[in-house]
Amino acid sequence: MGFILLGFSDIPDLQGLLFGVFLIIYVTILMGNSLIIIITKTEPSLQTPMYFFLGNFSSLEICYVSVTVPRLLVDLCRQTRNISFLACAAQMYFFLVFGAIECLLLTAMAYDRYVAICHPLLYPLLMNRRLCVQLAAGCWVSGIPVHTGFTYQVFFLPFCGSNELNHFFCDVPPVLKLACGDTFMIDILIYVIAVLVVTIPFMLILASYVRIIETILKLTSATGRAKAFSTCSSHLMVVSLFFGSGLITYLRPNSSHSIGMDKFLSLFYTSVTPILNPMIYCLRNKDVMVALGRFLQKSFML
């Protein structure tokens, strides 16, 4: 009727420490991304397509991390860590959907930077408000139908052995390890979806940045080159962190999967990357830092 999430039960002496660490991480993610959402909505200087997508990205990060970390915090405080079949399926579904949305949204952000740097004169015309809303809406909706069918296929498999899930949330690889039916079709689906949702967007982002770098190197002004690089470097760092850990996790051969490595990689892209994103976008972006300073100044004066 359900599973038992073992999580980090193999290190019982560190449960309290882990709870404190993950609570700090979760609160920091919520606060950092909430601040970005607020300033991109309220600051007049940030009413551009770049920051429109950044606000969407921060909203997504809050949703993404809220699928796994609150459940982990609860499990670290109790002895019984049962999760029902339906709850496990729901957690996997929303985790996959938000992960797919993140891939697509990062691609839309790369396209925005490509148009801004490679076609600056056409930028206001091409990246108008209507297109930005359509791109963002398309990103938010696209992952829903694909992962609905995939999650159904995973949980339609027979589970007749152990119900101990050696992970801290219902991710695909550990759940498939408990299935006693033939998982060949699911493995094929994983690779197909990974190519469609992860590999193709990643290649489009790389292609965009090849063109962006070519255009930047042609600029005669050193100041212009530095400014162009600074607006793209933050996004490129986030792309590298997210796609790198995701590709390693889902496109590795099953024979190379290990429990310890799976948990480490999952922690990286469910907790570490979301906490780094607000820092990367704020600390490396002068406009965001100035807007954030004004917002905090106004807040403390009230």
Side-chain angles (χ1 to χ4, degrees):
M1 296 300 295
F3 301 101
I4 299 172
L5 289 170
L6 297 182
F8 300 98
S9 57
D10 54 331
I11 43 177
D13 296 337
L14 296 179
Q15 301 296 293
L17 175 63
L18 289 172
F19 177 84
V21 169
F22 285 116
L23 180 62
I24 292 170
I25 288 174
Y26 186 54
V27 172
T28 304
I29 291 170
L30 293 183
M31 291 178 61
N33 284 290
S34 296
L35 279 173
I36 290 177
I37 293 167
I38 292 169
I39 62 174
T40 54
K41 290 289 186 183
T42 59
E43 283 294 322
S45 61
L46 301 184
Q47 302 306 304
T48 64
M50 176 180 173
Y51 297 109
F52 169 78
F53 286 115
L54 181 56
N56 272 268
F57 186 73
S58 294
S59 302
L60 175 63
E61 288 290 79
I62 292 175
C63 297
Y64 183 66
V65 78
S66 296
V67 174
T68 56
V69 177
R71 171 78 200 200
L72 174 59
L73 292 172
V74 171
D75 285 342
L76 287 169
C77 294
R78 61 182 183 176
Q79 296 297 321
T80 57
R81 297 169 179 180
N82 298 328
I83 183 169
S84 69
F85 205 71
L86 184 60
C88 189
Q91 187 181 48
M92 179 187 289
Y93 170 72
F94 284 109
F95 175 75
L96 292 174
V97 167
F98 291 137
I101 295 170
E102 184 154 347
C103 294
L104 298 173
L105 201 52
L106 286 170
T107 308
M109 293 169 77
Y111 176 71
D112 170 68
R113 291 299 82 209
Y114 163 74
V115 176
I117 293 173
C118 298
H119 304 284
L121 297 179
L122 295 175
Y123 183 67
L125 179 64
L126 293 176
M127 297 302 295
N128 55 68
R129 181 71 179 178
R130 181 180 178 184
L131 178 63
C132 291
V133 171
Q134 288 175 342
L135 282 173
C139 293
W140 281 95
V141 172
S142 296
I144 295 174
V146 175
H147 291 298
T148 301
F150 176 76
T151 307
Y152 175 79
Q153 289 294 326
V154 170
F155 284 88
F156 191 72
L157 292 169
F159 294 91
C160 51
S162 171
N163 69 336
E164 292 185 345
L165 198 66
N166 199 345
H167 214 284
F168 61 91
F169 75 101
C170 292
D171 202 0
V172 177
V175 170
L176 287 180
K177 284 183 180 180
L178 299 184
C180 55
D182 183 13
T183 62
F184 176 75
M185 287 305 299
I186 300 296
D187 293 334
I188 296 298
L189 276 175
I190 290 173
Y191 280 99
V192 171
I193 293 173
V195 168
L196 291 175
V197 177
V198 181
T199 308
I200 291 177
F202 184 61
M203 296 304 292
L204 289 173
I205 292 171
L206 282 182
S208 298
Y209 273 96
V210 168
R211 294 295 306 276
I212 287 170
I213 291 170
E214 288 176 351
T215 303
I216 291 174
L217 292 176
K218 291 177 183 176
L219 296 176
T220 55
S221 168
T223 306
R225 285 198 299 269
K227 185 177 181 181
F229 270 121
S230 69
T231 60
C232 297
S233 58
S234 301
H235 181 249
L236 199 54
M237 288 175 67
V238 171
V239 167
S240 302
L241 289 170
F242 180 76
F243 278 94
S245 56
L247 287 169
I248 292 171
T249 300
Y250 289 101
L251 293 184
R252 281 185 300 154
N254 289 336
S255 58
S256 66
H257 280 269
S258 67
I259 294 169
M261 182 58 72
D262 285 348
K263 284 185 182 179
F264 172 77
L265 288 170
S266 297
L267 278 175
F268 192 82
Y269 62 73
T270 59
S271 301
V272 178
T273 302
I275 199 174
L276 290 176
N277 291 348
M279 298 178 188
I280 291 171
Y281 278 116
C282 289
L283 296 177
R284 297 183 60 84
N285 191 306
K286 186 178 178 180
D287 293 336
V288 174
M289 289 296 292
V290 171
L292 183 60
R294 282 201 297 263
F295 172 77
L296 292 175
Q297 187 177 16
K298 290 177 185 177
S299 300
F300 285 124
M301 290 176 63
L302 292 176

